[in-house]
Amino acid sequence: MAKKEIILTGDRPTGPLHLGHFVGSLRSRVELQESCDQYVMIADMQALTDHAKEAEKVRASVFQVALDYLAVGIDPAQSTLCIQSCIPALSELTMYYLNLVTWNRLKHNPTVKQEIVQKGFGESVPAGFMTYPISQAADITAFRATLVPVGEDQKPMIEQTNEVVRAFNRTYKCDVLVEAKALIPKIARLPGIDGQAKMSKSLNNAIYLSDGPDKVAKKVKKMYTDPNHLRVEDPGKVEGNPVFSYLDAFGTDLEKIAELKTHYERGGLGDGTVKKYLLEVFLEFLEPIHKRRANFENDEAGVMEILKKGTEKANETASKTLSAVKRAIGVDYFL
Amino acid sequence: MAKKEIILTGDRPTGPLHLGHFVGSLRSRVELQESCDQYVMIADMQALTDHAKEAEKVRASVFQVALDYLAVGIDPAQSTLCIQSCIPALSELTMYYLNLVTWNRLKHNPTVKQEIVQKGFGESVPAGFMTYPISQAADITAFRATLVPVGEDQKPMIEQTNEVVRAFNRTYKCDVLVEAKALIPKIARLPGIDGQAKMSKSLNNAIYLSDGPDKVAKKVKKMYTDPNHLRVEDPGKVEGNPVFSYLDAFGTDLEKIAELKTHYERGGLGDGTVKKYLLEVFLEFLEPIHKRRANFENDEAGVMEILKKGTEKANETASKTLSAVKRAIGVDYFL
């Protein structure tokens, strides 16, 4: 029997999750939990690396993100839901790994370099932010993850992790740590409602999984379409038109969608009509999610219990890795 | 009643301790333990920041350093002897503090800058080494230390710690962390047996506390004196002459030492005669230390038990600080 793949995935809790998260990662987590040993981590410590001054937002988002997970169907009986800050071994592993990476190497991490520009840190990059790829290496290796679902732009993070793995095993003449593979999703990114290439909280162009019907309706109404499609009778563009990207991603009646596309391109189909249909599609998609979310929302203690249980399991695994790591280094005085 | 000062002190276990350590720190620890609440930490994780590839040396030195501590009279009933890597809270605190310090600030730490040159790291400075001042801030604050005995050159470390303390209390609107004061020893540095200003393992000019009488005799024999004192009848220089520095530091018969100095400066006193006396002084000083060391050396389990007990107490204190820190940040889900 082939060994089960172990997956580590998760999110920084800096706000609720949106449809982009669903398409990019949540959906595949629900699928993967059937066949893989999946850890879904709420990375609150990583969130603090660039939100140290907004810790309240991080704290509040932990519960919201957990609700989003449960609402989309991540099943605590199949996936291990855990909170990063409650797993001390992750910090300890980070400390040992930091000695095996040069300062220069951290400086040249392409993902971090790009994020520093995006976040406008200037000269004030927090040291914790510069070192977070090593904290991620600790997360991945702690659970002996073999697969890590990431976007294309996050591939350098997995490379950094594997560099740490090889450096550790080489330095301490062991095979304690396991290399991981990036699992890049096939699906293209979901655009924002403003037509930008990426749906993103920071771009303020997202539809959240927790958005109620009224909010969704409002967002659909002001949604960007083809700016040259001025009159109903004009031919419209489907490509780059988020309305159709969303129909492709969430619609189930493929025939109808194909028809709408042809009609739109030919002319004679108003944006209002397509948007009306899109809203139906969204509400149908979101209804079971909202239902499950509401149930869990009313049971905060139950949700926290799920996180506690998952975190306990995660702690067991991570502690075992830490013990093996400390034994390999030789700092296992009382183990 | 004035509150007791809390002291954090310790050493990187990268080899046995020498007479320079005794004069610079060990002696005052033996005195301070009477009136202060003193934690003496064997900083093995810090040692790994620049000895990741010599972990075996670090491991072996932990026991040797503990023996040195016990041999000079650090009393486990008065001081808390502990091992850094067995106190997970220290790693966790480091992670939270790293978010409150900029990458640039770390780069400009004068002590670290100097050490990078001394250690010849070139472009390959380990990230763990660059960040060790923050790990030190974690050590100091974890035990709520109010006094940290350091050399003049280590003062920037205490400044960095206090910057973290202020940033933390300001950011999380609390007074959880306590500022510490540097306790700079009055005593000048002990020179090396080669006449260099500092006795140091890396300069290979040290007399170790564990050196037996024969080894000490050999080291005294080849000790640097006044290079212009060629014939017995020549006048000799006392200043900058390590033989006299050692007599000042370890001799008890002050009258005799004053006499020897005058005679040496006048001429007519051979180096051999002074060295013979110095050897007597050394052996008298080292005898009780060697006796205690031998007793403990034969009881490895007993020594490890002392370290275990101390580490347990240290863990209690550090865990309390970590809980307060996590509560202040808000990541105290299950506390």
Side-chain angles (χ1 to χ4, degrees), chain A residues 259-315:
Chain A
E259 240 177 68
L260 285 173
K261 282 182 182 172
T262 320
H263 193 173
Y264 194 79
E265 288 181 324
R266 193 173 63 225
L269 179 58
D271 283 328
T273 314
V274 197
K275 282 183 169 183
K276 203 180 144 206
Y277 178 58
L278 175 63
L279 181 58
E280 275 172 42
V281 165
F282 272 154
L283 296 184
E284 195 187 328
F285 165 74
L286 287 171
E287 202 209 344
I289 294 178
H290 286 164
K291 225 173 180 167
R292 276 195 297 261
R293 204 178 197 281
N295 284 339
F296 283 113
E297 202 162 11
N298 288 327
D299 181 22
E300 182 163 351
V303 173
M304 292 313 284
E305 191 54 35
I306 288 170
L307 292 175
K308 197 176 175 185
K309 281 247 171 69
T311 301
E312 274 164 18
K313 191 189 152 191
N315 258 314

Side-chain angles (χ1 to χ4, degrees), chain A residues 15 24 29 39 50 54 109 137 164 170 192 296 312:
Chain A
R29 291 179 197 169
Y39 291 85
D50 63 337
E54 297 156 280
N109 184 307
V164 167
R170 190 174 59 238
F296 283 113
E312 274 164 18

Side-chain angles (χ1 to χ4, degrees), chain A residues 52 59 85 127 172 326 330 332-333, chain B residues 44 52 59 85 172 326 330 332:
Chain A
R59 165 63 190 247
S85 69
Y172 301 113
K326 290 178 85 170
D332 56 338
Y333 317 97
Chain B
D44 57 346
R59 165 64 190 246
S85 69
Y172 301 113
K326 290 179 85 171
D332 56 338

Side-chain angles (χ1 to χ4, degrees), chain A residues 224-238 241 243-244 260-275:
Chain A
Y224 173 94
T225 62
D226 173 1
N228 298 318
H229 186 239
L230 299 171
R231 293 167 309 175
V232 172
E233 56 269 36
D234 288 343
K237 258 190 171 172
V238 162
N241 188 330
V243 176
F244 288 99
L260 285 173
K261 282 182 182 172
T262 320
H263 193 173
Y264 194 79
E265 288 181 324
R266 193 173 63 225
L269 179 58
D271 283 328
T273 314
V274 197
K275 282 183 169 183

Side-chain angles (χ1 to χ4, degrees), chain A residues 17 42 60-74 81 209-210 289 292-300 303 307:
Chain A
L17 302 182
I42 304 182
S61 300
V62 167
F63 184 60
Q64 292 303 319
V65 166
L67 286 180
D68 287 333
Y69 288 165
L70 296 165
V72 298
I74 294 179
L81 293 170
L209 291 167
S210 47
I289 294 178
R292 276 195 297 261
R293 204 178 197 281
N295 284 339
F296 283 113
E297 202 162 11
N298 288 327
D299 181 22
E300 182 163 351
V303 173
L307 292 175

Side-chain angles (χ1 to χ4, degrees), chain A residues 9-13 17 21 25-26 29 41-44 65 69:
Chain A
T9 179
D11 297 276
R12 296 183 179 199
L17 302 182
H21 292 115
S25 60
L26 297 174
R29 291 179 197 169
M41 191 168 77
I42 304 182
D44 58 346
V65 166
Y69 288 165

Side-chain angles (χ1 to χ4, degrees), chain B residues 33 75 105 274 292:
Chain B
Q33 67 184 351
D75 174 6
R105 174 67 179 88
V274 196
R292 276 195 297 262

